[in-house]
Amino acid sequence: MKILGILGSPRDRGNTVLLLDAALAAAAEAGAQTEKVGVSDLDLNFCIGCGKCYATGQCIYDDGVTMLQSKMMEADGIILASPNYIQSVTAQLKTLMDRSSLHIHCFLFDGKYGASVATTGGAGAEQVAEFANQYLQVCGMQTVGIAAAQAAGVGALVEQEAALARATALGTDLVAAIGERREYPDQMAAHEVFAEHMKQLVVAMSDMAPFQVEHWRKMGWL
Ligand SMILES: Cc1cc2nc3c(=O)[nH]c(=O)nc-3n(C[C@H](O)[C@H](O)[C@H](O)COP(=O)(O)O)c2cc1C
């Protein structure tokens, strides 16, 4: 079982990495093979909305994002990690999200499990982590939960022991969810509604986006 941790913070010795490392260590302890990638270390191009990915299945760019998305495809579980940057994830992590339009239209992460962790200077870490989980869900994944904490300086969290315990529990639970193929009825119901909307879009776009139709047919969804 492979678990990929994606660090959205540009600070690899900051606050968010503490939560991510704790979650990944717990996942490893539970038997998973883990890997961590820092999005800031990658060369990133912004989505320009050209729609080539819908047509061909491939982005016009071959860069750090495409490399990371390949790793995500190989993983059974993904943990996203971001500091609160103005009530959202970092621009680096948002760039990965924006480059995932095809992954959403085709639910390319169907069957995978995810979780998100976030830190913040003041309030709002929970919302940032929930937002990151929503991204994973619209790509077809089920998410097991979040771990959030407030920062107490650089490389330190408020009530750090309790915060790390939450991240540890999250990493352990992620491995358990993958192992038992856990089902989250609320998320599955939301996915059904979203998939119906997406089906109409994929059919409406079929002339200009043949890859999407082929993928949906291959999956037996059309
Ligand atoms: C550009 C930037 C924007 C931020 N925006 C917020 C914010 O809107 N609200 C907040 O409470 N903290 C904000 N912070 C503080 C960070 O969320 C906080 O320090 C976080 O723990 C940093 O994590 P890191 O060490 O992993 O980078 C911001 C920090 C930066 C550098």
Side-chain angles (χ1 to χ4, degrees):
M1 180 193 302
K2 288 187 184 170
I3 306 276
L4 177 66
I6 300 176
L7 179 63
S9 172
R11 299 201 294 196
D12 59 6
R13 287 165 191 241
N15 303 322
T16 314
V17 74
L18 295 173
L19 295 182
L20 179 59
D21 283 349
L24 288 175
E29 180 71 26
Q33 183 188 332
T34 64
E35 183 180 359
K36 180 172 68 176
V37 176
V39 189
S40 289
D41 300 333
L42 307 176
D43 58 318
L44 306 169
N45 287 286
F46 298 127
C47 178
I48 58 166
C50 67
K52 287 273 166 45
C53 60
Y54 306 140
T56 67
Q58 286 203 318
C59 183
I60 55 164
Y61 298 119
D62 185 9
D63 61 1
V65 173
T66 37
M67 181 279 291
L68 184 53
Q69 287 170 334
S70 297
K71 284 186 181 292
M72 292 168 87
M73 287 298 287
E74 287 168 13
D76 303 291
I78 295 168
I79 305 175
L80 296 182
S82 182
N84 176 2
Y85 271 19
I86 324 298
Q87 312 308 321
S88 190
V89 296
T90 59
Q92 291 90 331
L93 194 55
K94 185 62 165 53
T95 300
L96 166 68
M97 294 176 173
D98 291 350
R99 290 274 300 281
S100 305
S101 212
L102 180 70
H103 297 70
I104 295 169
H105 285 201
C106 289
F107 303 125
L108 293 183
F109 297 154
D110 181 49
K112 300 183 192 298
Y113 288 81
S116 296
V117 302
T119 66
T120 187
E126 288 81 5
Q127 289 90 320
V128 172
E130 292 290 0
F131 171 69
N133 268 357
Q134 280 166 23
Y135 156 74
L136 296 175
Q137 287 173 22
V138 292
C139 291
M141 297 171 64
Q142 293 189 84
T143 59
V144 306
I146 62 164
Q150 194 182 356
V154 181
L157 304 170
V158 173
E159 296 178 358
Q160 180 148 316
E161 207 173 312
L164 295 181
R166 291 195 293 277
T168 298
L170 188 69
T172 306
D173 196 40
L174 178 59
V175 172
I178 295 167
E180 70 199 46
R181 305 299 304 160
R182 194 181 295 161
E183 294 186 347
Y184 293 84
D186 289 359
Q187 292 181 39
M188 292 171 80
H191 176 78
E192 286 304 311
V193 173
F194 185 53
E196 192 50 44
H197 163 75
M198 207 44 80
K199 184 193 277 189
Q200 289 171 22
L201 185 67
V202 164
V203 170
M205 292 172 74
S206 58
D207 285 349
M208 59 170 285
F211 174 87
Q212 295 187 152
V213 180
E214 280 163 30
H215 179 81
W216 273 66
R217 289 211 176 106
K218 195 175 78 185
M219 298 302 289
W221 300 333
L222 260 187

